[in-house]
Amino acid sequence: MAKITYIEHNGTSHAIEVRNGLSVMEGAVKNNIPGIDADCGGACACATCHVYVDEAWTAITGSPSAMEESMLDFANELQPNSRLSCQIKVTDDLDGLVVRMPESQH
Ligand code: FES
């Protein structure tokens, strides 16, 4: 279980307990948090689950895979800490994680 804080582009913050094994995207979608569309349902095929991982957490969430990297090219407003949230698996190590959503996923 990890408490994850999702911060919408307008600054609205949602702190949610997410079960291990789910993805950061699933934690948002299951809790109706706006700002993550996840059109492909987590298959790393849409880039509409784009988030910015808080700088303090980028070492723990790790780097994107080659497949995620190529999909990220389709995301808007890419930053060095951009990730596809369906590709980040929740574990106890992510307790306290903070992610921010971009202004738009399209
Ligand atoms: S949900 Fe489609 S790439 Fe993450």
Short mmCIF file of all heavy atoms in Angstrom, two decimals, residues 42-96:
data_model
loop_
_atom_site.label_atom_id
_atom_site.label_comp_id
_atom_site.label_asym_id
_atom_site.label_seq_id
_atom_site.Cartn_x
_atom_site.Cartn_y
_atom_site.Cartn_z
N GLY A 42 -3.98 1.02 -20.04
CA GLY A 42 -2.74 0.62 -19.38
C GLY A 42 -1.81 -0.21 -20.24
O GLY A 42 -0.89 -0.85 -19.73
N ALA A 43 -2.04 -0.22 -21.54
CA ALA A 43 -1.23 -1.04 -22.45
C ALA A 43 -0.01 -0.33 -23.00
O ALA A 43 0.65 -0.84 -23.91
CB ALA A 43 -2.10 -1.53 -23.58
N CYS A 44 0.30 0.84 -22.48
CA CYS A 44 1.44 1.63 -22.97
C CYS A 44 1.26 1.95 -24.45
O CYS A 44 2.18 1.84 -25.24
CB CYS A 44 2.77 0.91 -22.72
SG CYS A 44 4.21 2.00 -22.84
N ALA A 45 0.05 2.31 -24.83
CA ALA A 45 -0.25 2.53 -26.24
C ALA A 45 -1.01 3.82 -26.51
O ALA A 45 -1.58 3.98 -27.59
CB ALA A 45 -1.03 1.34 -26.79
N CYS A 46 -1.07 4.75 -25.54
CA CYS A 46 -1.86 5.95 -25.81
C CYS A 46 -1.20 7.25 -25.32
O CYS A 46 -1.48 8.30 -25.84
CB CYS A 46 -3.25 5.83 -25.20
SG CYS A 46 -3.29 5.98 -23.41
N ALA A 47 -0.40 7.18 -24.28
CA ALA A 47 0.26 8.36 -23.69
C ALA A 47 -0.72 9.35 -23.07
O ALA A 47 -0.38 10.51 -22.89
CB ALA A 47 1.17 9.06 -24.71
N THR A 48 -1.95 8.91 -22.75
CA THR A 48 -2.89 9.82 -22.09
C THR A 48 -2.94 9.57 -20.57
O THR A 48 -3.90 9.95 -19.91
CB THR A 48 -4.31 9.73 -22.68
OG1 THR A 48 -4.82 8.42 -22.45
CG2 THR A 48 -4.31 10.05 -24.17
N CYS A 49 -1.91 8.94 -20.06
CA CYS A 49 -1.78 8.76 -18.61
C CYS A 49 -0.49 9.46 -18.15
O CYS A 49 0.10 9.11 -17.15
CB CYS A 49 -1.74 7.28 -18.24
SG CYS A 49 -0.31 6.42 -18.94
N HIS A 50 -0.10 10.46 -18.93
CA HIS A 50 1.14 11.20 -18.70
C HIS A 50 1.11 11.93 -17.35
O HIS A 50 0.14 12.61 -17.05
CB HIS A 50 1.30 12.19 -19.87
CG HIS A 50 2.47 13.10 -19.80
ND1 HIS A 50 2.47 14.35 -20.41
CD2 HIS A 50 3.67 12.99 -19.20
CE1 HIS A 50 3.62 14.93 -20.21
NE2 HIS A 50 4.38 14.13 -19.46
N VAL A 51 2.17 11.78 -16.58
CA VAL A 51 2.32 12.54 -15.32
C VAL A 51 3.76 13.02 -15.19
O VAL A 51 4.67 12.50 -15.85
CB VAL A 51 1.98 11.69 -14.06
CG1 VAL A 51 0.51 11.28 -14.05
CG2 VAL A 51 2.89 10.48 -13.92
N TYR A 52 3.95 14.00 -14.32
CA TYR A 52 5.29 14.44 -13.95
C TYR A 52 5.56 13.91 -12.55
O TYR A 52 4.83 14.21 -11.60
CB TYR A 52 5.37 15.97 -13.94
CG TYR A 52 4.98 16.60 -15.25
CD1 TYR A 52 3.85 17.40 -15.35
CD2 TYR A 52 5.73 16.36 -16.40
CE1 TYR A 52 3.47 17.97 -16.56
CE2 TYR A 52 5.35 16.92 -17.62
CZ TYR A 52 4.23 17.72 -17.69
OH TYR A 52 3.86 18.27 -18.90
N VAL A 53 6.60 13.09 -12.43
CA VAL A 53 6.97 12.54 -11.13
C VAL A 53 7.73 13.61 -10.36
O VAL A 53 8.67 14.22 -10.90
CB VAL A 53 7.84 11.27 -11.33
CG1 VAL A 53 8.37 10.76 -9.99
CG2 VAL A 53 7.05 10.18 -12.03
N ASP A 54 7.32 13.86 -9.12
CA ASP A 54 8.02 14.84 -8.30
C ASP A 54 9.51 14.53 -8.27
O ASP A 54 9.91 13.35 -8.16
CB ASP A 54 7.44 14.78 -6.87
CG ASP A 54 8.00 15.87 -6.01
OD1 ASP A 54 7.41 16.97 -6.00
OD2 ASP A 54 9.04 15.64 -5.35
N GLU A 55 10.33 15.56 -8.39
CA GLU A 55 11.80 15.38 -8.50
C GLU A 55 12.37 14.49 -7.39
O GLU A 55 13.32 13.75 -7.61
CB GLU A 55 12.51 16.73 -8.45
CG GLU A 55 12.08 17.73 -9.54
CD GLU A 55 12.48 17.31 -10.93
OE1 GLU A 55 13.31 16.39 -11.06
OE2 GLU A 55 11.94 17.89 -11.90
N ALA A 56 11.78 14.56 -6.21
CA ALA A 56 12.30 13.78 -5.08
C ALA A 56 12.08 12.28 -5.27
O ALA A 56 12.66 11.46 -4.57
CB ALA A 56 11.62 14.24 -3.79
N TRP A 57 11.25 11.92 -6.26
CA TRP A 57 10.86 10.51 -6.43
C TRP A 57 11.38 9.88 -7.71
O TRP A 57 11.16 8.68 -7.95
CB TRP A 57 9.33 10.41 -6.38
CG TRP A 57 8.83 10.59 -4.99
CD1 TRP A 57 8.50 11.77 -4.38
CD2 TRP A 57 8.68 9.57 -4.00
NE1 TRP A 57 8.14 11.53 -3.08
CE2 TRP A 57 8.24 10.20 -2.83
CE3 TRP A 57 8.87 8.18 -4.01
CZ2 TRP A 57 8.00 9.48 -1.66
CZ3 TRP A 57 8.62 7.47 -2.86
CH2 TRP A 57 8.19 8.12 -1.69
N THR A 58 12.02 10.65 -8.56
CA THR A 58 12.38 10.10 -9.88
C THR A 58 13.37 8.93 -9.76
O THR A 58 13.29 7.98 -10.56
CB THR A 58 12.96 11.18 -10.81
OG1 THR A 58 14.01 11.85 -10.11
CG2 THR A 58 11.90 12.18 -11.23
N ALA A 59 14.25 8.95 -8.76
CA ALA A 59 15.20 7.85 -8.62
C ALA A 59 14.47 6.57 -8.20
O ALA A 59 14.84 5.46 -8.61
CB ALA A 59 16.28 8.20 -7.61
N ILE A 60 13.43 6.72 -7.41
CA ILE A 60 12.71 5.55 -6.89
C ILE A 60 11.76 4.98 -7.95
O ILE A 60 11.63 3.76 -8.08
CB ILE A 60 11.96 5.92 -5.59
CG1 ILE A 60 13.01 6.33 -4.54
CG2 ILE A 60 11.10 4.77 -5.07
CD1 ILE A 60 12.48 7.12 -3.39
N THR A 61 11.12 5.84 -8.72
CA THR A 61 10.22 5.31 -9.76
C THR A 61 11.01 4.76 -10.95
O THR A 61 10.48 3.97 -11.72
CB THR A 61 9.23 6.40 -10.26
OG1 THR A 61 9.97 7.55 -10.65
CG2 THR A 61 8.24 6.77 -9.19
N GLY A 62 12.28 5.14 -11.08
CA GLY A 62 13.13 4.57 -12.13
C GLY A 62 12.93 5.25 -13.48
O GLY A 62 12.23 6.25 -13.59
N SER A 63 13.56 4.68 -14.49
CA SER A 63 13.48 5.29 -15.83
C SER A 63 12.48 4.53 -16.68
O SER A 63 12.27 3.33 -16.46
CB SER A 63 14.82 5.23 -16.55
OG SER A 63 15.86 5.15 -15.66
N PRO A 64 11.93 5.21 -17.66
CA PRO A 64 10.99 4.53 -18.55
C PRO A 64 11.68 3.46 -19.40
O PRO A 64 12.86 3.59 -19.74
CB PRO A 64 10.46 5.66 -19.44
CG PRO A 64 11.31 6.84 -19.19
CD PRO A 64 12.09 6.62 -17.95
N SER A 65 10.95 2.42 -19.74
CA SER A 65 11.46 1.39 -20.66
C SER A 65 11.54 2.01 -22.06
O SER A 65 10.99 3.08 -22.31
CB SER A 65 10.49 0.21 -20.69
OG SER A 65 9.26 0.64 -21.25
N ALA A 66 12.18 1.29 -22.98
CA ALA A 66 12.30 1.79 -24.35
C ALA A 66 10.92 1.99 -24.97
O ALA A 66 10.65 2.97 -25.67
CB ALA A 66 13.12 0.81 -25.18
N MET A 67 10.00 1.07 -24.68
CA MET A 67 8.64 1.16 -25.23
C MET A 67 7.92 2.38 -24.66
O MET A 67 7.26 3.12 -25.39
CB MET A 67 7.87 -0.11 -24.85
CG MET A 67 6.51 -0.23 -25.45
SD MET A 67 5.87 -1.88 -25.05
CE MET A 67 4.12 -1.57 -25.13
N GLU A 68 8.09 2.60 -23.36
CA GLU A 68 7.46 3.78 -22.74
C GLU A 68 8.06 5.06 -23.31
O GLU A 68 7.34 6.00 -23.62
CB GLU A 68 7.64 3.72 -21.21
CG GLU A 68 6.95 4.89 -20.51
CD GLU A 68 7.15 4.89 -19.00
OE1 GLU A 68 7.51 3.83 -18.43
OE2 GLU A 68 6.98 5.97 -18.39
N GLU A 69 9.38 5.08 -23.47
CA GLU A 69 10.07 6.24 -24.05
C GLU A 69 9.46 6.60 -25.40
O GLU A 69 9.19 7.77 -25.68
CB GLU A 69 11.55 5.93 -24.31
CG GLU A 69 12.43 5.93 -23.10
CD GLU A 69 12.98 7.31 -22.78
OE1 GLU A 69 12.43 8.31 -23.27
OE2 GLU A 69 13.95 7.35 -22.01
N SER A 70 9.25 5.59 -26.25
CA SER A 70 8.77 5.91 -27.59
C SER A 70 7.32 6.39 -27.53
O SER A 70 6.92 7.25 -28.32
CB SER A 70 8.96 4.75 -28.56
OG SER A 70 8.38 3.61 -28.05
N MET A 71 6.55 5.86 -26.60
CA MET A 71 5.15 6.32 -26.44
C MET A 71 5.11 7.73 -25.86
O MET A 71 4.25 8.54 -26.22
CB MET A 71 4.44 5.33 -25.51
CG MET A 71 2.99 5.20 -25.78
SD MET A 71 2.66 4.65 -27.46
CE MET A 71 1.45 5.87 -27.88
N LEU A 72 6.05 8.04 -24.99
CA LEU A 72 6.09 9.38 -24.37
C LEU A 72 6.25 10.48 -25.41
O LEU A 72 5.84 11.62 -25.19
CB LEU A 72 7.24 9.47 -23.36
CG LEU A 72 6.92 9.10 -21.91
CD1 LEU A 72 8.21 8.97 -21.11
CD2 LEU A 72 5.98 10.10 -21.26
N ASP A 73 6.85 10.13 -26.55
CA ASP A 73 7.01 11.13 -27.62
C ASP A 73 5.66 11.69 -28.07
O ASP A 73 5.60 12.77 -28.65
CB ASP A 73 7.73 10.52 -28.83
CG ASP A 73 9.19 10.27 -28.53
OD1 ASP A 73 9.71 10.86 -27.56
OD2 ASP A 73 9.81 9.48 -29.25
N PHE A 74 4.58 10.95 -27.81
CA PHE A 74 3.25 11.42 -28.21
C PHE A 74 2.60 12.29 -27.14
O PHE A 74 1.51 12.82 -27.35
CB PHE A 74 2.34 10.22 -28.53
CG PHE A 74 2.79 9.45 -29.74
CD1 PHE A 74 3.60 8.33 -29.60
CD2 PHE A 74 2.42 9.86 -31.01
CE1 PHE A 74 4.03 7.62 -30.72
CE2 PHE A 74 2.84 9.16 -32.14
CZ PHE A 74 3.65 8.04 -31.99
N ALA A 75 3.23 12.40 -25.98
CA ALA A 75 2.64 13.20 -24.90
C ALA A 75 2.92 14.68 -25.13
O ALA A 75 3.93 15.05 -25.73
CB ALA A 75 3.22 12.75 -23.56
N ASN A 76 2.02 15.51 -24.62
CA ASN A 76 2.21 16.97 -24.70
C ASN A 76 3.14 17.43 -23.59
O ASN A 76 3.19 16.81 -22.53
CB ASN A 76 0.87 17.69 -24.49
CG ASN A 76 -0.10 17.41 -25.60
OD1 ASN A 76 0.30 17.26 -26.75
ND2 ASN A 76 -1.37 17.34 -25.27
N GLU A 77 3.83 18.52 -23.82
CA GLU A 77 4.61 19.21 -22.78
C GLU A 77 5.51 18.25 -22.00
O GLU A 77 5.47 18.19 -20.78
CB GLU A 77 3.68 19.91 -21.79
CG GLU A 77 2.78 20.95 -22.45
CD GLU A 77 1.64 21.36 -21.52
OE1 GLU A 77 1.95 21.88 -20.45
OE2 GLU A 77 0.48 21.11 -21.87
N LEU A 78 6.30 17.51 -22.76
CA LEU A 78 7.23 16.56 -22.16
C LEU A 78 8.27 17.25 -21.30
O LEU A 78 8.78 18.31 -21.67
CB LEU A 78 7.91 15.81 -23.30
CG LEU A 78 8.25 14.35 -23.08
CD1 LEU A 78 7.01 13.56 -22.69
CD2 LEU A 78 8.85 13.78 -24.35
N GLN A 79 8.58 16.68 -20.17
CA GLN A 79 9.64 17.20 -19.28
C GLN A 79 10.55 16.03 -18.90
O GLN A 79 10.17 14.86 -19.07
CB GLN A 79 9.02 17.81 -18.02
CG GLN A 79 8.20 19.06 -18.30
CD GLN A 79 7.59 19.66 -17.03
OE1 GLN A 79 7.91 19.25 -15.91
NE2 GLN A 79 6.71 20.61 -17.22
N PRO A 80 11.74 16.33 -18.35
CA PRO A 80 12.64 15.23 -17.99
C PRO A 80 12.02 14.24 -17.00
O PRO A 80 12.39 13.07 -16.98
CB PRO A 80 13.84 15.94 -17.36
CG PRO A 80 13.79 17.33 -17.91
CD PRO A 80 12.35 17.64 -18.15
N ASN A 81 11.08 14.70 -16.19
CA ASN A 81 10.46 13.82 -15.19
C ASN A 81 9.11 13.27 -15.67
O ASN A 81 8.31 12.78 -14.87
CB ASN A 81 10.29 14.55 -13.85
CG ASN A 81 9.45 15.81 -13.97
OD1 ASN A 81 9.30 16.36 -15.06
ND2 ASN A 81 8.91 16.27 -12.87
N SER A 82 8.86 13.32 -16.98
CA SER A 82 7.62 12.78 -17.54
C SER A 82 7.64 11.26 -17.47
O SER A 82 8.66 10.63 -17.78
CB SER A 82 7.48 13.19 -19.01
OG SER A 82 7.16 14.55 -19.12
N ARG A 83 6.51 10.68 -17.11
CA ARG A 83 6.34 9.22 -17.15
C ARG A 83 4.91 8.91 -17.57
O ARG A 83 4.02 9.74 -17.46
CB ARG A 83 6.56 8.59 -15.76
CG ARG A 83 7.99 8.61 -15.24
CD ARG A 83 8.93 7.70 -16.01
NE ARG A 83 8.45 6.34 -16.18
CZ ARG A 83 8.69 5.34 -15.32
NH1 ARG A 83 9.41 5.56 -14.25
NH2 ARG A 83 8.23 4.12 -15.55
N LEU A 84 4.73 7.68 -18.05
CA LEU A 84 3.37 7.18 -18.28
C LEU A 84 2.98 6.45 -17.00
O LEU A 84 3.64 5.47 -16.60
CB LEU A 84 3.35 6.25 -19.49
CG LEU A 84 3.68 6.95 -20.82
CD1 LEU A 84 3.62 5.95 -21.97
CD2 LEU A 84 2.74 8.12 -21.09
N SER A 85 1.92 6.93 -16.36
CA SER A 85 1.61 6.41 -15.02
C SER A 85 1.15 4.96 -15.03
O SER A 85 1.19 4.30 -14.00
CB SER A 85 0.57 7.30 -14.33
OG SER A 85 -0.60 7.41 -15.11
N CYS A 86 0.74 4.44 -16.21
CA CYS A 86 0.36 3.02 -16.25
C CYS A 86 1.58 2.13 -16.19
O CYS A 86 1.46 0.91 -15.99
CB CYS A 86 -0.45 2.70 -17.51
SG CYS A 86 0.46 2.76 -19.06
N GLN A 87 2.76 2.71 -16.35
CA GLN A 87 3.99 1.92 -16.35
C GLN A 87 4.72 2.00 -15.01
O GLN A 87 5.84 1.49 -14.88
CB GLN A 87 4.90 2.36 -17.50
CG GLN A 87 4.25 2.21 -18.88
CD GLN A 87 3.83 0.77 -19.16
OE1 GLN A 87 4.66 -0.14 -19.14
NE2 GLN A 87 2.54 0.56 -19.39
N ILE A 88 4.12 2.63 -14.03
CA ILE A 88 4.74 2.69 -12.69
C ILE A 88 3.91 1.81 -11.77
O ILE A 88 2.74 2.10 -11.49
CB ILE A 88 4.77 4.14 -12.14
CG1 ILE A 88 5.43 5.08 -13.14
CG2 ILE A 88 5.49 4.17 -10.80
CD1 ILE A 88 5.37 6.56 -12.73
N LYS A 89 4.49 0.71 -11.34
CA LYS A 89 3.80 -0.24 -10.44
C LYS A 89 3.92 0.24 -9.01
O LYS A 89 4.99 0.64 -8.56
CB LYS A 89 4.47 -1.62 -10.54
CG LYS A 89 3.93 -2.47 -11.67
CD LYS A 89 2.77 -3.34 -11.21
CE LYS A 89 2.15 -4.15 -12.33
NZ LYS A 89 1.25 -3.39 -13.20
N VAL A 90 2.81 0.14 -8.29
CA VAL A 90 2.80 0.57 -6.89
C VAL A 90 3.38 -0.52 -5.99
O VAL A 90 3.03 -1.69 -6.12
CB VAL A 90 1.35 0.91 -6.46
CG1 VAL A 90 1.29 1.23 -4.98
CG2 VAL A 90 0.82 2.07 -7.30
N THR A 91 4.30 -0.10 -5.14
CA THR A 91 4.86 -0.97 -4.09
C THR A 91 4.94 -0.12 -2.83
O THR A 91 4.74 1.11 -2.88
CB THR A 91 6.29 -1.44 -4.43
OG1 THR A 91 7.14 -0.28 -4.46
CG2 THR A 91 6.37 -2.15 -5.77
N ASP A 92 5.27 -0.76 -1.71
CA ASP A 92 5.43 0.00 -0.45
C ASP A 92 6.48 1.10 -0.61
O ASP A 92 6.40 2.13 0.06
CB ASP A 92 5.86 -0.93 0.69
CG ASP A 92 4.74 -1.88 1.10
OD1 ASP A 92 3.57 -1.60 0.76
OD2 ASP A 92 5.04 -2.89 1.76
N ASP A 93 7.46 0.88 -1.48
CA ASP A 93 8.53 1.87 -1.67
C ASP A 93 8.00 3.20 -2.19
O ASP A 93 8.68 4.22 -2.10
CB ASP A 93 9.58 1.36 -2.66
CG ASP A 93 10.37 0.20 -2.11
OD1 ASP A 93 10.30 -0.04 -0.89
OD2 ASP A 93 11.07 -0.45 -2.91
N LEU A 94 6.82 3.18 -2.78
CA LEU A 94 6.28 4.42 -3.36
C LEU A 94 5.40 5.18 -2.36
O LEU A 94 4.74 6.16 -2.74
CB LEU A 94 5.48 4.13 -4.64
CG LEU A 94 6.27 3.59 -5.83
CD1 LEU A 94 5.41 3.63 -7.08
CD2 LEU A 94 7.55 4.38 -6.07
N ASP A 95 5.39 4.74 -1.11
CA ASP A 95 4.57 5.44 -0.11
C ASP A 95 5.05 6.88 0.02
O ASP A 95 6.21 7.12 0.36
CB ASP A 95 4.68 4.71 1.24
CG ASP A 95 3.70 5.25 2.24
OD1 ASP A 95 2.59 5.65 1.84
OD2 ASP A 95 4.05 5.31 3.44
N GLY A 96 4.17 7.83 -0.30
CA GLY A 96 4.52 9.25 -0.24
C GLY A 96 4.74 9.87 -1.62
O GLY A 96 4.95 11.08 -1.73
#
